[in-house]
Each structure stands twice: as C-alpha cells, then as structure tokens.
Amino acid sequence: MTLIAAILISTFSLTKAQESDTSKYQYILNPNSSDKECINDIKRAKTDIESGQLKVTETFGFTPNALRFEDELKKLSRELGLEFEIELISDVIIEGQTQGCYSAYMDYALSEKYGLNFKRDLYRKADSLFIENIINNNRLVSNDFCDQSAEPSNDIQINPSIKVKNFRIVEDSANQFGNGFPFIDLGFIIEKNGEIGSFKIDYWLPASQANRRYKNQLLNLAIDEMKEKYSTWKPGRIVGIRARTEHSVRFFFQNEK
C-alpha cells in the first residue's frame, strides 16, 4: 500500500479543521466574554473530556456523508480509545456568537495529548484505509465521493420521464414539488465491471394520496426503464481506481396520452 499512501498524500486536501496551525486555538483558550455560544460549547467539551470522552470531531452543515472515509475514521478512533462525533453547524449566523467551539476545543485537547499533527495524520491514515478497502474488500462508496463519477456507458443523458400505460396515476397541480407528478428516487449499486443491481427506493413522492397504491408498480417501471435503457455503466473511480458505488436516479411518472 506504499504507492496508494503516496498518491493520497499528494492528492488529499486537508480542511482548516485539520491544518496544523497553532493560531486556531488562541480564541478557544480566551474567547470573548460575550460569546456565550462558544463558552458553553467549551464547557461541554471540558466536561466530556473530564468524564473520559476525548473525541475526534468534525464540523459540518446539514450535509450527510461529508467524509468519504468516515467509517474508517471511526474504526481508527475506537482503536485509540477515542470517539468520533460530527458537530452540526447552523446556517443561521448570530453576530458575536461563534459556532464550532466544541470541535475546536477537542482538537486542542487532542493536540495537547498526541501532538499538533495528530488529527491530520489520523485523517490521512483513514483515507489510506478507505482506498485499501476499495481495492481489497470491495468497499461500497457513494457515487458523490468519486473523483470520476459513474455514468451510463453509452454516454447518453438519462431521460427522467416515464410514461404510465396500464393504469392511470393522479396528477396534483396543487403539489408544486415535482410539478404535480409522482416521482421515485431509484437507488442501485454499480459494480466495478459496470453491471447494475440491488435496486431500491431511496425516496418517493406520490404527489397525490391516490397514487400510494401504485408504489410497487411505479418502482417496477423505474427498474425496467433502468435495465432496458441504462443497463451498463462506466464505473466510478477514486484516485484512478475503480470503485463499487451506490447511486440514485430520479424518475417522474406521467400518464401516456
């Protein structure tokens, strides 16, 4: 895995939360007395640390799966007797109040115990393990994490509209989400050889309550559409390596006129 590690070191971009910059701790050690949000978060971090809950943390907004190597990071953290936690940051900014101080104080505590570059090196190791698992353990990866996303092998754009022939769905013009039409987010897995399978519903909107009874029929229509028109894919790649990926495509349903 020496080559892979070298690739990752040259390509993996560290976030500000991972940079070895001592200046980022200055405010945490002496926050403004009026910054109650930050002060309370620091107190909470100190309480957790005193109870033996030293954590590897990351701050994110309301975006799922923000770290591609999160599973590997959790595993490595557990092996070190540490917990992993994501601190959610609101998009509502209050003047004079600082978010993310819980995570920042945990970073400070980690640097004091393990050294300034501990978190950076841990993240790099987790990303190396992530790549190793793709190669050796057929690890499943979200298509969103690929450097080169998976796409249909025929290079055509997916037509998101499917005509319903054998029954009549109800269109609800009052439902603006989806323009009044029911839709299904069809989830599936793209294997390293480009084959697709393991179909499931990631999300669906009936538009009208009357369409709920057609859920399975609409799912089957979406699966048939995928198998007939988009049966093989170019697999996703991470640092040039083929990956087994999970993906989702949204299909809208309309009555055939």
Side-chain angles (χ1 to χ4, degrees):
M1 298 305 297
T2 303
L3 176 59
I4 294 173
I7 292 173
L8 288 170
I9 289 172
S10 65
T11 60
F12 183 52
S13 176
L14 300 175
T15 66
K16 289 183 179 179
Q18 297 154 251
E19 294 172 352
S20 56
D21 180 5
T22 56
S23 64
K24 69 178 180 179
Y25 300 131
Q26 292 178 2
Y27 186 79
I28 296 303
L29 298 176
N30 188 30
N32 293 334
S33 59
S34 61
D35 193 347
K36 299 302 182 183
E37 182 169 4
C38 185
I39 291 173
N40 289 336
D41 282 348
I42 292 172
K43 287 181 179 178
R44 182 166 60 91
K46 288 181 177 180
T47 299
D48 286 348
I49 293 170
E50 289 171 359
S51 65
Q53 300 181 63
L54 183 58
K55 300 176 183 178
V56 177
T57 58
E58 191 57 80
T59 55
F60 290 113
F62 292 92
T63 304
N65 301 321
L67 289 175
R68 68 185 188 182
F69 50 82
E70 183 176 328
D71 290 343
E72 288 77 10
L73 182 59
K74 287 179 178 178
K75 178 177 181 294
L76 292 174
S77 298
R78 286 194 301 268
E79 291 174 354
L80 294 169
L82 304 170
E83 298 181 36
F84 173 76
E85 181 176 309
I86 290 177
E87 182 182 9
L88 293 177
I89 301 299
S90 173
D91 57 357
V92 178
I93 306 299
I94 301 176
E95 186 176 356
Q97 302 300 298
T98 306
Q99 299 185 76
C101 290
Y102 180 89
S103 179
Y105 193 87
M106 283 291 179
D107 285 358
Y108 167 72
L110 287 173
S111 70
E112 286 290 288
K113 183 172 182 177
Y114 296 108
L116 193 59
N117 295 327
F118 169 76
K119 190 174 180 181
R120 181 200 66 184
D121 294 340
L122 184 66
Y123 274 47
R124 283 178 168 168
K125 186 175 181 180
D127 207 40
S128 294
L129 184 58
F130 167 77
I131 299 298
E132 182 178 349
N133 284 333
I134 289 175
I135 297 172
N136 297 328
N137 300 320
N138 215 25
R139 190 203 197 283
L140 186 62
V141 179
S142 170
N143 195 40
D144 294 335
F145 288 148
C146 290
D147 304 326
Q148 181 180 331
S149 298
E151 58 184 22
S153 58
N154 49 15
D155 290 328
I156 64 173
Q157 294 291 322
I158 294 178
N159 183 348
S161 180
I162 296 178
K163 301 296 184 182
V164 177
K165 301 178 182 179
N166 298 326
F167 55 91
R168 302 289 293 179
I169 58 174
V170 177
E171 298 176 12
D172 185 359
S173 58
N175 191 326
Q176 298 300 312
F177 192 53
N179 295 322
F181 300 113
F183 68 77
I184 281 178
D185 289 343
L186 180 66
F188 55 98
I189 291 175
I190 307 163
E191 302 294 342
K192 291 180 180 179
N193 63 1
E195 294 180 355
I196 59 174
S198 301
F199 298 101
K200 63 184 178 69
I201 293 178
D202 282 342
Y203 179 78
W204 99 290
L205 183 80
S208 169
Q209 293 298 316
N211 293 325
R212 290 189 177 277
R213 58 181 171 172
Y214 299 128
K215 181 178 181 180
N216 289 333
Q217 291 100 311
L218 295 176
L219 171 61
N220 289 331
L221 284 176
I223 293 174
D224 290 344
E225 181 84 353
M226 185 64 69
K227 287 182 175 179
E228 179 181 346
K229 297 182 180 179
Y230 319 103
S231 59
T232 58
W233 286 57
K234 297 177 184 177
R237 292 177 181 269
I238 296 178
V239 292
I241 301 167
R242 289 189 180 193
R244 183 170 180 256
T245 57
E246 53 185 353
H247 192 41
S248 183
V249 172
R250 177 166 293 182
F251 287 108
F252 292 88
F253 301 92
Q254 295 176 273
N255 294 310
E256 186 177 56
K257 296 180 180 180

